[in-house]
Amino acid sequence: MTRTLLWLIGGLILGGIIHITAILTLPLLAEETTWSRISALDASNRMLVLDRVSQGDPNPLHLDPELSYGLCQINLSEGPVYLNGVLPDAFWSVAVYDQNGIVIYSTTNRDGIGQTVDMGIFNAAQTRLLAQQQIDIAEGLLIVEAPTNQLFVLVRLSAPHEAMRTRFEQELSEIACGPRA
C-alpha cells in the first residue's frame, strides 16, 4: 500500500512539473506574437492611428471597438524617444509596453496632466546621462525609464460621441513620437 501511494505521489509531482514546464515554454515557441503583429504595421517612430474595429470583424490585437488607438513602435538604441502633443478633452491613456507586451509605464489624463502629453522615454544609460545633465530636456517633461530598448507606445482615446471620433483620431495622428531631430 505504501509503495502504491509513493508511486502515485511521484506521478503527480512529475506530472505537475511537466505541466508547468509546458505552460511556461509555449509562449516562447509562438511564431506570431504581439510584437510581430505590431512590427508589421509600420509604426516605427511615428504615431499610427489604428483602423476601427467593428463587431464581428477579425481583431488580432484584441482592441475595444469603443476606443480609438494610436500606436508608435520605438527603439531606444537610436537615442531617447519623445512623445508630445495635445490630445482632446476627453478620457485618454498612454501606456509604454516592452517587446513581451508587459506595461512598463502608464498614465491617463486623470493624473493631473491635462490635455498635453510631453513624455521622454529613456533607457538606463540615457537616464544616467540625464542625471549628469548631459542631455538637455524641457522643463516639465515626464521621464520614463525603460528596462529594454525595443518598446511600443499605445495611446487610447474615448470619444464621448461617435460624431467626434474622426476629429479625435485626427488629433491623435498629430502626436509626435520618435527621437528629437
Side-chain angles (χ1 to χ4, degrees):
M1 179 74 174
T2 307
R3 182 177 286 181
T4 306
L5 185 60
L6 286 175
W7 278 103
L8 183 61
I9 291 172
L12 288 173
I13 290 172
L14 184 61
I17 291 171
I18 292 170
H19 178 74
I20 289 172
T21 302
I23 295 296
L24 293 177
T25 58
L26 279 178
L28 300 174
L29 300 174
E31 292 179 14
E32 188 172 324
T33 62
T34 302
W35 186 256
S36 65
R37 290 175 181 167
I38 288 171
S39 296
L41 293 175
D42 188 36
S44 182
N45 292 326
R46 70 181 192 95
M47 187 60 65
L48 173 70
V49 177
L50 300 178
D51 294 333
R52 294 181 188 184
V53 178
S54 299
Q55 199 86 15
D57 287 350
N59 189 358
L61 295 175
H62 306 290
L63 304 176
D64 184 346
E66 297 298 317
L67 300 176
S68 297
Y69 293 90
L71 180 75
C72 178
Q73 187 177 18
I74 57 178
N75 185 352
L76 296 179
S77 64
E78 301 167 3
V81 171
Y82 300 91
L83 182 77
N84 35 14
V86 178
L87 289 168
D89 191 20
F91 176 78
W92 55 263
S93 71
V94 176
V96 180
Y97 293 84
D98 68 6
Q99 234 175 336
N100 299 319
I102 298 171
V103 176
I104 62 167
Y105 182 80
S106 180
T107 188
T108 70
N109 63 330
R110 296 185 178 155
D111 285 341
I113 295 173
Q115 292 176 256
T116 304
V117 176
D118 198 13
M119 180 185 299
I121 306 168
F122 301 83
N123 63 20
Q126 295 160 350
T127 304
R128 278 193 298 281
L129 292 174
L130 187 63
Q132 297 168 356
Q133 297 181 347
Q134 293 182 11
I135 297 177
D136 292 329
I137 60 167
E139 189 174 325
L141 181 73
L142 180 63
I143 297 170
V144 176
E145 184 176 342
T148 63
N149 286 332
Q150 299 290 329
L151 306 165
F152 66 94
V153 178
L154 185 67
V155 180
R156 297 175 192 90
L157 281 175
S158 177
H161 303 286
E162 187 63 31
M164 302 170 79
R165 189 169 182 154
T166 304
R167 181 176 58 85
F168 276 31
E169 289 175 353
Q170 175 60 36
E171 290 182 39
L172 180 58
S173 70
E174 294 171 4
I175 299 289
C177 178
R180 287 226 168 109

